[in-house]
Amino acid sequence: MKKIFAVVFGVFMFYAMTSYAQLDSVKAENFIKKVTTQGIEQIINANVSQEEKDKRFEKLFNEYLDLDFIGKFVLGRYWNTATATERTEFIDVYRQMNIKTWSKRFDEFKGKKFIFNGTSASNSKNQIFVNTTVPMKQGAPAKVVWRVKDTNGTLKVVDIIIENVSLAITARNEYTAYIKKSKNGIADLIEDLRQKSK
Amino acid sequence: MYKKCLLLMTVLTLASCSSVNTQDTSALESYNKAMFEFNYQLDKNIIKPVAKGYKKVTNQFVRNRVSSFFNNLEEPQYMVNNLLQGEVKNSGVSIGRFVINSTLGLLGTFDIATSWGLEKKKNTFDATMAKYCVPDGPFVVLPVVGPSTPRHLTGWVADSYTSPLYWSLANSDDEKSNVIVWSATGLKYINLRAENMELLDSLEQGSVDYYEATKSAFLQNRKKFVSLCSQADNSDDNIPNYDFDFEADF
């Protein structure tokens, strides 16, 4: 009886987990399809002024990227020692700096399309990788992986990994090295980022 | 002369890196930062202005032809390394591409082979060594070349011997041959620098510590070679599957 119960329980759990994983994968992939389609159709290919494109990009960026979460991650252990004001200021300048950098670089995707290659499991809870490739004019297609986080049913991008290079890890390595060697730590980083985002 | 320079660079790098242990890491890091600064100034004051000038006097069509010409010269490299890695079919594709593009593609300036369904099968001696589980070694910044590792540099030097440009000049050690090789190498890298102008400007502008950002990106990209070694754990398919651990170092 115990064995039968174990088998039934096992089968039930297997189907429950599989269906959960499938639902999650489809949902995450559809979310990234929505983000990329919106970005390409409503920003890159739209026949509007650059000012309007920048506005739309900022909206897209704030809506689909979890900058609070990413900002906390890129500060590493220094997040714990930062004051409440420093935390708020850092997230704000980090957001501005990213919007400025990426709104300029977004046009690099002009004429490109994303090919979706399924999802991969993540080590972190409520997160999943959506795998895409972008065909290039010359050479092999570029591999772009989106790390998606589910917070109470709302999906947001928390990292983009281009050709194995994670933007979040690169920023974290850069910022923590900067804080370590700077005189005033996070305050200097905030000031430097503020200058760069002007 | 060119080969002697490459060999000297390899020997010096391997010698400097072979004895690296944790105590020497900070010394190597100091050297790397100094060399990175030297390369940065070299780029800022010489390479970038030349690349800007080159971009002004050429159009996208010309730059694409130059890229395509030098890409075609790398096909024998792909052929050799695909073969060394047991990828016989891919090696055949590389031979086919080289023959088609060198003839119908007007010395490789046009990539006809891709439109015929023969996709490029890029491969390097660096990847071949990774396949046979040769360790990468520490991060080192080379003069002019930039970020590298001992295995990366060894692969780069070995691959240079597969270029048809060097075969044709292999038996002549006169001044004229050296001028041709150096000029061609210069054109290749100036063209590459010009094609990446906006991307590099954007990376630099958005960075508060350009050295750390470059080092981090370079080392993360190197992890793609890990899965080539049969003894490696390939379970995560090379995705940096880190946990969002706020205390961890990467």
Side-chain angles (χ1 to χ4, degrees):
Chain A
M1 186 62 191
K2 267 185 183 176
K3 277 182 186 172
I4 293 169
F5 178 74
V7 169
V8 172
F9 182 73
V11 170
F12 172 77
M13 285 306 287
F14 174 78
Y15 279 106
M17 285 170 77
T18 312
S19 59
Y20 174 75
Q22 277 175 349
L23 180 70
D24 208 40
S25 298
V26 172
K27 202 176 156 190
E29 195 166 288
N30 285 339
F31 168 67
I32 296 301
K33 276 179 184 165
K34 188 177 155 191
V35 175
T36 52
T37 306
Q38 208 168 314
I40 290 169
E41 285 176 5
Q42 295 178 16
I43 302 173
I44 298 174
N45 294 341
N47 192 19
V48 291
S49 66
Q50 188 56 46
E51 199 182 342
E52 178 59 27
K53 279 188 179 184
D54 289 347
K55 265 186 199 169
R56 289 184 186 184
F57 178 79
E58 188 169 348
K59 187 173 174 284
L60 181 94
F61 200 84
N62 286 328
E63 196 174 338
Y64 297 129
L65 261 84
D66 193 343
L67 253 289
D68 290 336
F69 187 81
I70 304 168
K72 188 179 171 187
F73 174 75
V74 299
L75 268 195
R77 58 185 57 134
Y78 294 104
W79 179 264
N80 295 331
T81 56
T83 63
T85 315
E86 282 175 335
R87 286 177 179 181
T88 313
E89 280 184 355
F90 173 74
I91 297 289
D92 185 46
V93 289
Y94 183 62
R95 184 188 306 277
Q96 293 309 321
M97 216 271 300
N98 270 291
I99 288 169
K100 191 191 170 192
T101 307
W102 286 97
S103 61
K104 271 187 194 170
R105 289 188 61 187
F106 211 49
D107 260 4
E108 285 169 26
F109 291 101
K110 197 162 194 164
K112 304 261 192 322
K113 60 174 183 177
F114 288 89
I115 295 167
F116 286 80
N117 308 312
T119 57
S120 309
S122 158
N123 284 343
S124 300
K125 200 181 166 189
N126 300 329
Q127 292 179 30
I128 197 165
F129 294 105
V130 176
N131 304 310
T132 63
T133 44
V134 181
M136 307 303 282
K137 271 185 196 165
Q138 290 193 328
K143 202 170 107 182
V144 181
V145 180
W146 308 74
R147 191 173 182 130
V148 177
K149 183 173 180 281
D150 184 342
T151 310
N152 303 324
T154 305
L155 298 185
K156 291 222 173 185
V157 175
V158 289
D159 195 10
I160 303 172
I161 302 150
I162 304 168
E163 286 294 311
N164 267 63
V165 180
S166 149
L167 299 180
I169 291 180
T170 306
R172 182 177 170 122
N173 286 338
E174 185 187 357
Y175 292 171
T176 52
Y178 181 98
I179 294 169
K180 203 172 173 183
K181 71 179 183 190
S182 72
K183 197 180 163 191
N184 300 310
I186 298 169
D188 282 348
L189 177 67
I190 292 168
E191 188 49 38
D192 212 341
L193 287 173
R194 189 170 284 135
Q195 293 301 322
K196 285 191 176 292
S197 59
K198 273 182 185 169
Chain B
M1 177 66 182
Y2 182 82
K3 287 174 186 171
K4 283 175 190 167
C5 280
L6 286 176
L7 276 176
L8 183 68
M9 204 184 274
T10 313
V11 171
L12 285 174
T13 308
L14 293 177
S16 65
C17 297
S18 59
S19 60
V20 169
N21 56 37
T22 45
Q23 286 176 331
D24 296 331
T25 308
S26 61
L28 184 60
E29 191 68 359
S30 299
Y31 156 79
N32 282 340
K33 284 181 179 170
M35 190 50 72
F36 188 84
E37 180 59 26
F38 169 79
N39 286 345
Y40 176 74
Q41 293 300 335
L42 185 75
D43 180 71
K44 188 179 166 188
N45 295 299
I46 299 173
I47 300 171
K48 191 177 169 184
V50 172
K52 268 188 173 174
Y54 169 80
K55 210 171 176 180
K56 267 191 181 172
V57 297
T58 56
N59 58 24
Q60 191 59 55
F61 178 80
V62 171
R63 291 196 294 276
N64 284 348
R65 300 292 69 76
V66 173
S67 298
S68 193
F69 172 78
F70 285 110
N71 286 342
N72 186 52
L73 292 183
E74 289 178 357
E75 292 292 348
Q77 169 197 314
Y78 308 156
M79 184 265 288
V80 170
N81 286 296
N82 280 319
L83 203 59
L84 288 172
Q85 292 176 38
E87 303 286 348
V88 180
K89 195 181 168 189
N90 287 352
S91 186
V93 170
S94 299
I95 298 172
R97 283 180 54 84
F98 186 63
V99 171
I100 293 166
N101 287 340
S102 300
T103 51
L104 298 173
L106 306 175
L107 293 175
T109 50
F110 291 89
D111 184 1
I112 306 285
T114 299
S115 57
W116 286 8
L118 288 176
E119 293 283 340
K120 190 186 286 183
K121 304 293 177 191
K122 201 170 177 175
N123 221 326
T124 61
F125 193 63
D126 185 11
T128 300
M129 287 187 285
K131 176 127 184 169
Y132 293 102
C133 305
V134 175
D136 204 9
F139 175 75
V140 60
V141 181
L142 299 174
V144 188
V145 178
S148 188
T149 63
R151 195 185 71 206
H152 174 258
L153 176 65
T154 309
W156 186 62
V157 173
D159 286 336
S160 71
Y161 286 92
T162 61
S163 170
L165 196 64
Y166 304 131
W167 303 343
S168 57
L169 301 167
N171 296 322
S172 64
D173 207 18
D174 58 32
E175 203 55 37
K176 202 177 163 187
S177 307
N178 282 327
V179 170
I180 294 171
V181 173
W182 282 109
S183 304
T185 309
L187 175 63
K188 179 181 176 178
Y189 289 105
I190 290 297
N191 189 70
L192 189 68
R193 181 67 181 88
E195 289 294 76
N196 289 290
M197 190 72 74
E198 287 79 19
L199 174 69
L200 292 173
D201 281 352
S202 163
L203 288 175
E204 189 193 337
Q205 282 159 16
S207 175
V208 290
D209 189 330
Y210 199 26
Y211 169 77
E212 287 295 342
T214 307
K215 181 184 170 186
S216 176
F218 180 82
L219 291 177
Q220 285 179 69
N221 183 258
R222 299 286 301 162
K223 285 182 183 165
K224 70 185 173 195
F225 292 107
V226 172
S227 64
L228 294 175
C229 169
S230 55
Q231 294 158 20
D233 173 17
N234 299 328
S235 56
D236 65 355
D237 194 29
N238 290 326
I239 298 170
N241 198 356
Y242 55 91
D243 197 352
F244 265 96
D245 180 352
F246 294 97
E247 294 295 324
D249 285 319
F250 295 99

